[in-house]
Amino acid sequence: MAGGGAAPAPKADELVPHPVKDQLTNVSYCITSPPPWPEAILLGFQHYLVMLGTTVIIPTALVPQMGGGNDEKARVVQTLLFVAGINTLLQTFFGTRLPAVIGGSYTFVAPTISIILAGRYSDIADPHRKFLRIMRGTQGALIVASTLQMIIGFSGLWRNVTRFLSPLSAVPVVALAGFGLYELGFPAAAKCVEIGLPTIIILIVVSQYLPHAIHAQRPVFDRFAVIFSVAIVWLYAYFLTIGGAYKHAPPKTQSHCRTDRSGLVSSAPWIRVPYPFQWGAPTFDAGEAFAMMAAAFVGVVESTGTFIAVSRYASATPLPPSVLSRGIGWQGIGILLDGLFGTASGSTVSVENTGLLALTRVGSRRVVQISAGFMIFFSILGKFGAVFASIPAPIFAALYCLFFAYVGSVGLSFLQFCNLNSFRTKFILGFSFFMGLSVPQYFNEYTAVAGYGPVHTGARWFNDIINVTFSSKPFVAGLVAFFLDNTLQRRDNTVRKDRGYHWWDKFRSFKTDTRSEEFYSLPFNLNKFFPSV
């Protein structure tokens, strides 16, 4: 054995761990590299198709409870789509600049229902008048709630919080931003299992198996899998509908399975431009505003997780905290627009569109800006937009099974920066995941049985704040992980390494990594006036 020499190189067949990577390497187009125009337009249309699910599901659930009919539902869907297009453009140009679609959020459904059930609307007999009054109340609450996100974002407060975020505490927030939406996946697809299940199977076959089976030169099937799958199953559902398969089915089955039951196509106007205060002047109520502010705060945490997932799938470097804070501020402006136009729901980053970035491996900013153009175009041309919006909900739910899974798995991928052999890591990871699933389950079960949340005091606004906040899986998991990660043995140098904190050190400031300029700097030389720190 030779003494004093260099250590021998590892043998060819010796196992070596996979290297840690700041950026995903096998993405076809990153933020700044757009695909050719024809491909970009098709990919943009695919993003538009995917975000339609949430855009239709939220008003379909809320408008009838507010007293509105098909006509009001069609107008709310149009408005939500129009505002989503504007918000997506604002976010991609001036916010984080990530290819993130900003759309309607399920987080705001609970406070909106609380407003619907408020005593001050119960004595209105005329359904249309009741709808307008509730819509104005929702608008007022959204306008007030938007200020919370704008203050948290633009003041730099969120920048100071997220500076303490390590890869370990980011894992539960990002993972449950995807996995936490599991009840919107297969349970919703199974409401019409004969179209939901085939969609899942066709999507997986077309995107995962077919490209490898036929050895195509160009990635057509995996890149446009959503268009292929939706077209095939939608046509199949249409034939089932006109063939009379659901003629004697119960009304619920008919509304989920039939392609002609959304009521949107007949109710949508040919051309209509949504405008601010179209439902009348907003009304303000302190209790309702507090409930919506709780949802806005939860939205900050959920969007943080989704923004981190978008940055990963767009092959960008980890988000500098100042850019993340700027994005949250612009999201607040998005909620303000929701309030001014009257969408009945606030906005957050679309989780399903983040999953689509992963499926297509295209994280281009231009593609998402084109999709925003489709949103605005089809919201103005109501009849054409309504045709796509009438795709049965189980088809969208089937797509979610794949997209939410992709977002959840990108959260788990940050574990590459952490020491998984550390008991501290295991405890924080396991406990935050468990509480993130368990606590909201308790709140939701209690509400389903009792008709109100576990916190049921005389102050309705206080009940709403606690019940809305702790019903969010990413919020609870993120809060537990963030607290434990920043308080348990944090002064220990080995712990700093175990939690992966040192890997993200160079991204804590905008200027310490040269790639930040490429991905996140503002357009039109605006960085001179609004510098990122």
Side-chain angles (χ1 to χ4, degrees):
M1 188 174 169
K11 296 188 188 83
D13 60 347
E14 203 171 303
L15 290 174
V16 178
H18 292 289
V20 168
K21 294 200 181 295
D22 290 332
Q23 294 169 263
L24 274 183
T25 49
N26 49 355
V27 169
S28 304
Y29 297 98
C30 73
I31 296 186
T32 49
S33 62
W37 275 104
E39 200 173 324
I41 289 167
L42 261 180
L43 286 162
F45 180 70
Q46 202 166 233
H47 271 284
Y48 159 73
L49 264 187
V50 166
M51 67 82 62
L52 268 180
T54 309
T55 308
V56 174
I57 290 165
I58 292 175
T60 302
L62 293 176
V63 171
Q65 295 186 61
M66 295 163 84
N70 280 344
D71 187 37
E72 286 86 359
K73 184 171 82 172
R75 286 176 65 187
V76 173
V77 169
Q78 264 187 293
T79 307
L80 188 51
L81 199 54
F82 183 78
V83 176
I86 294 171
N87 286 340
T88 301
L89 288 175
L90 290 175
Q91 190 63 243
T92 52
F93 276 112
F94 308 113
T96 55
R97 305 223 65 212
L98 287 167
V101 171
I102 308 295
S105 166
Y106 294 105
T107 307
F108 291 85
V109 169
T112 306
I113 289 173
S114 177
I115 292 171
I116 291 167
L117 300 174
R120 66 190 187 122
Y121 306 112
S122 56
D123 55 343
I124 305 169
D126 177 33
H128 181 67
R129 215 171 125 255
K130 186 177 184 180
F131 168 78
L132 290 176
R133 287 280 303 277
I134 293 174
M135 179 59 90
R136 290 172 197 164
T138 310
Q139 285 181 260
L142 281 167
I143 290 167
V144 174
S146 69
T147 58
L148 179 73
Q149 281 203 4
M150 285 191 266
I151 292 166
I152 288 174
F154 291 134
S155 68
L157 180 66
W158 201 240
R159 178 187 71 217
N160 296 332
V161 171
T162 50
R163 279 213 170 117
F164 295 101
L165 199 66
S166 72
L168 176 59
S169 50
V171 170
V173 186
V174 183
L176 287 190
F179 292 147
L181 297 168
Y182 60 81
E183 70 267 23
L184 300 171
F186 196 78
K191 284 179 178 170
C192 186
V193 77
E194 59 267 38
I195 62 174
L197 196 56
T199 311
I200 297 172
I201 294 166
I202 292 169
L203 187 62
I204 291 171
V205 169
V206 172
S207 66
Q208 308 299 322
Y209 288 95
L210 214 55
H212 303 290
I214 59 173
H215 304 294
Q217 291 298 309
R218 292 177 63 79
V220 176
F221 290 108
D222 41 353
R223 199 153 288 172
F224 303 106
V226 169
I227 291 177
F228 285 121
S229 310
V230 170
I232 293 165
V233 181
W234 193 16
L235 196 64
Y236 161 62
Y238 174 71
F239 285 132
L240 284 179
T241 302
I242 59 169
Y246 304 113
K247 207 172 264 179
H248 306 296
K252 248 187 177 168
T253 307
Q254 293 204 25
S255 71
H256 291 303
C257 299
R258 290 181 71 109
T259 54
D260 58 359
R261 278 302 154 99
S262 68
L264 291 173
V265 181
S266 56
S267 306
W270 281 102
I271 293 177
R272 184 179 167 274
V273 181
Y275 54 92
F277 309 122
Q278 57 189 340
W279 313 107
T283 59
F284 297 91
D285 177 90
E288 293 170 5
F290 277 122
M292 208 59 95
M293 284 170 94
F297 184 61
V298 168
V300 169
V301 178
E302 293 181 352
S303 292
T304 298
T306 319
F307 274 136
I308 293 170
V310 174
S311 69
R312 191 78 181 153
Y313 280 137
S315 192
T317 49
L319 272 159
S322 60
V323 173
L324 185 54
S325 203
R326 185 175 78 199
I328 294 298
W330 277 97
Q331 197 172 276
I333 289 176
I335 295 174
L336 175 65
L337 291 177
D338 287 322
L340 295 176
F341 280 83
T343 60
S345 164
S347 312
T348 53
V349 189
S350 165
V351 179
E352 53 271 33
N353 288 84
T354 307
L356 183 59
L357 297 177
L359 186 77
T360 57
R361 298 190 190 180
V362 176
S364 162
R365 187 187 292 137
R366 182 183 290 169
V367 165
V368 167
Q369 288 168 342
I370 290 168
S371 82
F374 276 117
M375 293 173 214
I376 294 168
F377 176 75
F378 280 120
S379 67
I380 293 169
L381 293 175
K383 286 274 189 236
F384 292 103
V387 171
F388 295 113
S390 64
I391 296 169
I395 294 180
F396 288 115
L399 301 179
Y400 295 165
C401 291
L402 217 66
F403 297 149
F404 294 162
Y406 263 129
V407 175
S409 66
V410 83
L412 299 180
S413 76
F414 291 113
L415 289 171
Q416 64 179 312
F417 302 108
C418 310
N419 177 11
L420 285 172
N421 294 317
S422 150
F423 277 98
R424 178 187 182 275
T425 304
K426 283 179 165 56
F427 164 66
I428 292 173
L429 201 60
F431 187 65
S432 58
F433 261 91
F434 186 84
M435 295 308 279
L437 292 168
S438 197
V439 172
Q441 180 68 13
Y442 163 69
F443 273 75
N444 295 335
E445 274 184 20
Y446 193 105
T447 308
V449 174
Y452 49 81
V455 179
H456 189 58
T457 64
R460 192 187 180 97
W461 61 271
F462 177 74
N463 305 342
D464 287 338
I465 288 176
I466 305 298
N467 293 331
V468 166
T469 307
F470 287 96
S471 295
S472 164
K473 300 173 186 78
F475 180 84
V476 175
L479 183 71
V480 172
F482 188 80
F483 175 77
L484 293 174
D485 193 35
N486 284 290
T487 53
L488 267 179
Q489 315 158 20
R490 61 172 296 214
R491 304 241 175 262
D492 195 329
N493 270 340
T494 54
V495 164
R496 186 181 165 85
K497 268 190 163 180
D498 286 350
R499 61 201 280 241
Y501 196 81
H502 60 299
W503 284 106
W504 283 2
D505 261 351
K506 61 181 170 189
F507 305 110
R508 297 201 191 280
S509 164
F510 186 84
K511 296 181 178 71
T512 44
D513 191 272
T514 50
R515 292 168 292 179
S516 297
E517 188 76 30
E518 178 194 348
F519 297 130
Y520 304 116
S521 65
L522 290 167
F524 320 121
N525 228 1
L526 285 171
N527 264 27
K528 276 185 176 175
F529 308 102
F530 305 101
S532 298
V533 291

